[in-house]
Amino acid sequence: MSRPYNFSAGPATMPEEVLAQAAAEMLDWHGSGMSVMEMSHRGKAFMSICAQAEADLRELLAVPEHFRILFMQGGGLAENAIVPMNLSRGGTVDFVVTGAWSQKSHQEAQKYCHAQLAASSADSGFTTLPDPASWRLSRGASYLHLCSNETIHGVEFHELPDLRALGSDAPLVIDFSSHVLSRPIDWQRVGLAFGGAQKNIGPAGLTLVIVREDLLGHALAICPSAFDYRTVADNGSMFNTPPTYAIYVAGLTFQWIQRQREGDARGVAAMEQRAIARSQLLYDAIDRSEVFYNPVDRAHRSRMNVPFFLREPGPDGAAYARFLAGAEARGLLQLKGHKSVGGLRASLYNAMPLAGVQALVDWMREFERTQA
Ligand SMILES: *Cc1c(COP(=O)(O)O)cnc(C)c1O
């Protein structure tokens, strides 16, 4: 039985090997006689699973020693409040708004700090990124927030800005929910990175926070203890019960990434090569087409999330319905665009094989012929 190709933006496709391993270990983890789900989070077995997951993530992303890795809950949306509660000190925070997710972050932060709009690409319909040289940076800002890959609008910062070169001492905060582990991170430019696991890692319920040690310990008094980074870090992410099963499955995914090779590249470097190959295959097919188009500035197109549209959707978008029905019949699932932008979207995360993208491109060609 072959599995369909799942292009969902999240929760999203996972490596079949990881699912098979989780299934094989479901009833009895390593001779313990227990499922990981049944284990005490403070017992030796789970503590080893958690420590290994953290060490593997640190290795994969080359996270320096002076950064802490926190396993939290609440997802990206909760972090929109938790980050300003921990880092803003109630002062000014700069936001670069480049799509739906950074827009939500900017709005939520207004409850906790003076959230300043440093730059926005709203005028372009979020189809490009504002040039960092044009950002209006506040003096003494507690941090600057950006979303390094906009999952809905399909724009990605392929290079993170160097805020020091722009004359700012503010730490950079990135929401890397939808590209984490698809490319290396330049930690010299980052103060904090956060993201939910359900896009590119594993099951929903786990939120990653990777934060520079010196940024801990400044939470506002109203910050819930369970969301105070200092408290979470001091307790090894076990101040309260962590999402144990999600951490375990994420750990299996980290090990899967460590095993991947593309030529001389391994781990995240191999993931990056595959992300480039998958996205190029799809963007090339879209750009060559007279039926489909992608509105995003080529320099800033996302390698993970590709929104695309029909030039002639027909009355009530009938052509979209036909495309989606044909896709589903071919085992190409979850290609409907986000409701706020419409059209189509293919999410091409680490677990999506190139063959899945090829199958999508084949269907697009066939659809084009029937349109003509
Ligand atoms: C999905 C997503 C979120 C929201 O995550 P939740 O886990 O639903 O809170 C935030 N930011 C980005 C970039 C996302 O893709």
Side-chain angles (χ1 to χ4, degrees), residues 116-129:
Q116 207 259 141
L117 189 64
S120 166
S121 56
D123 283 354
S124 74
F126 297 128
T127 57
T128 189
L129 294 176

Side-chain angles (χ1 to χ4, degrees), residues 74-78 101 147 149-151 175-178 194 196 198-199:
L77 286 186
W101 289 113
C147 177
N149 182 62
E150 289 280 1
T151 320
D175 174 355
F176 66 0
S177 294
S178 53
F194 71 83
Q198 75 272 25
K199 311 283 166 70

Side-chain angles (χ1 to χ4, degrees), residues 90-332:
T92 298
V93 176
D94 284 337
F95 282 80
V96 176
V97 172
T98 56
W101 289 113
S102 48
Q103 198 165 44
K104 277 183 204 278
S105 303
H106 177 232
Q107 269 163 18
E108 181 75 8
Q110 289 166 14
K111 293 183 182 176
Y112 306 101
C113 61
H114 177 60
Q116 207 259 141
L117 189 64
S120 166
S121 56
D123 283 354
S124 74
F126 297 128
T127 57
T128 189
L129 294 176
D131 178 0
S134 73
W135 297 358
R136 295 174 301 277
L137 302 178
S138 310
R139 195 167 308 145
S142 301
Y143 63 92
L144 180 139
H145 174 111
L146 62 82
C147 177
S148 34
N149 182 62
E150 289 280 1
T151 320
I152 293 174
H153 289 88
V155 285
E156 179 168 359
F157 282 88
H158 294 293
E159 190 186 345
L160 297 175
D162 180 354
L163 294 188
R164 250 165 302 165
L166 296 171
S168 165
D169 297 327
L172 176 66
V173 170
I174 62 170
D175 174 355
F176 66 0
S177 294
S178 53
H179 75 78
V180 58
L181 291 168
S182 73
R183 54 185 244 212
I185 305 273
D186 182 354
W187 294 106
Q188 291 202 34
R189 296 189 174 182
V190 174
L192 182 148
F194 71 83
Q198 75 272 25
K199 311 283 166 70
N200 210 12
I201 298 176
L206 168 64
T207 311
L208 301 180
V209 175
I210 304 179
V211 55
R212 221 170 60 203
E213 179 85 43
D214 64 286
L215 298 175
L216 302 176
H218 305 288
L220 301 179
I222 53 158
C223 182
S225 306
F227 291 151
D228 182 329
Y229 294 144
R230 172 91 271 165
T231 307
V232 178
D234 286 350
N235 289 278
S237 298
M238 302 219 190
F239 174 72
N240 65 330
T241 313
T244 53
Y245 197 74
I247 290 171
Y248 156 72
V249 178
L252 297 183
T253 302
F254 300 155
Q255 289 169 12
W256 177 82
I257 296 173
Q258 287 173 324
R259 293 194 297 273
Q260 304 307 301
R261 299 278 184 284
E262 282 298 324
D264 291 338
R266 53 176 288 275
V268 169
M271 295 297 99
E272 184 174 39
Q273 289 199 11
R274 287 184 195 171
I276 291 169
R278 279 188 305 260
S279 55
Q280 269 181 2
L281 178 59
L282 182 52
Y283 284 121
D284 283 352
I286 294 169
D287 291 342
R288 266 188 278 112
S289 166
E290 281 169 16
V291 170
F292 299 97
Y293 72 98
N294 165 279
V296 178
D297 189 348
R298 288 180 190 214
H300 306 302
R301 284 172 164 180
S302 169
R303 291 175 187 156
M304 296 278 104
N305 310 96
V306 181
F308 58 112
F309 300 86
L310 287 169
R311 293 195 187 277
E312 291 176 31
D316 296 326
Y320 281 120
R322 244 185 316 118
F323 180 80
L324 290 168
E328 201 167 316
R330 287 159 181 79
L332 308 169

